[in-house]
Amino acid sequence: MRIKCPLCGERDLREFTYRGAALPRPAPDAPDEAWDAYLHLRDNPAGPTRDLWHHRAGCSAWLVVRRDTATHEIFGVELATRSRAVRA
Amino acid sequence: MVDLIARLPGAEIDAHSEGDCVLGLPEPGALTWVSAEPGQEKPVGKALQDALGLGWPRPGRVLSNAQARIAWFGDRQALVMGPALKSLAGAAVVDQSDGWLLMRVEGAGARDMLMRLLPLDLRAASFGPGHVARSLAGHVPVIVLGRRGGAFDLLAPRSMARTTHGDLVRAMKTRLALRALDA
Ligand SMILES: [Zn+2]
């Protein structure tokens, strides 16, 4: 698998570390149920998914990667700092 | 206060040459990591321009003149090579001179040899003078800078410098051995 980092360009999988689902972080005063879901509850999709990856051995940026777990197709990659996916 | 004896990052490392590939250990000058606060790349670039005559580098690029090089180092980060920098408004500035070993590989085989070790497309059409990439040499995170004449500068973290030096020497030998088989 190769991921196209928006800063570095297309790079080998070995440069990246997988973190997990890219989810909007609840507000600090959100109810316990929202935090419980954010921390523990995950879908396990056979299809499109949105994950956080760390370009650990590259530019050290956090990325939001949209990909398909069934076909391994990657639809898009963006910097987590610029992504709406991880904002509430 | 204890009087400590300074040791350079390359103290136990030697230059090496193998066929058409030469590994040298040039003096890099000061290495200063600059991290601009969010949205401050422009004013920090202006301050660098005033101080060194070089601005803020685009992703994957190195700016250079006779006295200094400024290499892109990640989002909102740059590495100033050459003159020492004390501080810049709107940025964190950290002296990392002691933290990296600079190794220079040159010669006709340098590009081919490096591509054995790094998972990067270093072909002349994709990577040349003025380009910089952070990647892996084996399992060690390194910084590669393209130079004129098919030469490359490699910055390896001091703690892993002997590993990377050994990996480079092995890559030089392996490449020659494979070529001898093909011949
Ligand atoms: Zn990157």
Side-chain angles (χ1 to χ4, degrees):
Chain A
M1 187 162 135
R2 290 170 73 80
I3 296 175
K4 192 173 178 181
C5 172
L7 298 170
C8 304
E10 197 176 279
R11 294 292 185 90
D12 195 276
L13 177 64
R14 80 191 88 162
E15 292 188 4
F16 298 90
T17 307
Y18 178 72
R19 162 72 166 73
L23 302 169
R25 187 188 172 92
D29 58 351
D32 288 350
E33 291 74 19
W35 277 99
D36 180 56
Y38 175 68
L39 289 172
H40 303 297
L41 301 185
R42 293 291 178 273
D43 296 328
N44 185 19
T49 184
R50 199 155 53 185
D51 308 310
L52 281 169
W53 293 76
H54 186 208
H55 198 185
R56 175 185 59 84
C59 64
S60 71
W62 281 95
L63 309 175
V64 174
V65 178
R66 288 184 301 115
R67 67 191 176 103
D68 192 310
T69 57
T71 64
H72 303 301
E73 184 181 358
I74 293 180
F75 307 117
V77 184
E78 57 182 347
L79 293 173
T81 48
R82 322 260 205 281
S83 170
R84 289 219 186 102
V86 287
R87 265 181 240 139
Chain B
M1 176 120 179
V2 182
D3 201 12
L4 297 173
I5 301 161
R7 282 168 70 82
L8 294 170
E12 294 161 353
I13 290 172
D14 295 321
H16 189 92
S17 151
E18 199 83 50
D20 56 358
C21 206
V22 180
L23 193 166
L25 302 161
E27 171 56 48
L31 301 173
T32 311
W33 178 76
V34 177
S35 177
E37 288 164 19
Q40 295 299 298
E41 290 99 323
K42 269 209 178 123
V44 173
K46 172 81 172 59
L48 285 169
Q49 185 78 48
D50 294 343
L52 303 170
L54 300 167
W56 190 260
R58 287 193 292 132
R61 292 296 194 275
V62 188
L63 303 169
S64 57
N65 59 20
Q67 50 155 348
R69 282 190 279 177
I70 303 183
W72 179 82
F73 200 81
D75 201 16
R76 292 192 281 108
Q77 301 168 62
L79 188 71
V80 178
M81 307 170 68
L85 268 183
K86 283 278 170 280
S87 64
L88 288 167
V93 173
V94 180
D95 177 17
Q96 295 194 355
S97 310
D98 244 15
W100 301 91
L101 176 68
L102 175 65
M103 289 179 272
R104 178 167 297 165
V105 291
E106 36 197 345
R111 191 181 298 277
D112 196 33
M113 180 280 289
L114 266 192
M115 280 201 284
R116 292 193 57 80
L117 191 59
L118 277 68
L120 286 178
D121 179 2
L122 295 176
R123 287 173 298 173
S126 329
F127 196 94
H131 287 86
V132 60
R134 288 174 68 188
S135 185
L136 289 169
H139 69 282
V140 178
V142 295
I143 299 147
V144 200
L145 299 98
R147 292 180 62 81
R148 273 177 218 290
F152 299 85
D153 275 354
L154 210 77
L155 285 167
R158 177 188 186 134
S159 60
M160 287 286 149
R162 278 204 290 168
T163 300
T164 301
H165 179 266
D167 285 347
L168 284 166
V169 169
R170 193 173 309 115
M172 287 158 89
K173 291 183 182 202
T174 313
R175 175 177 162 273
L176 287 185
L178 284 169
R179 289 213 316 178
L181 279 180
D182 286 343

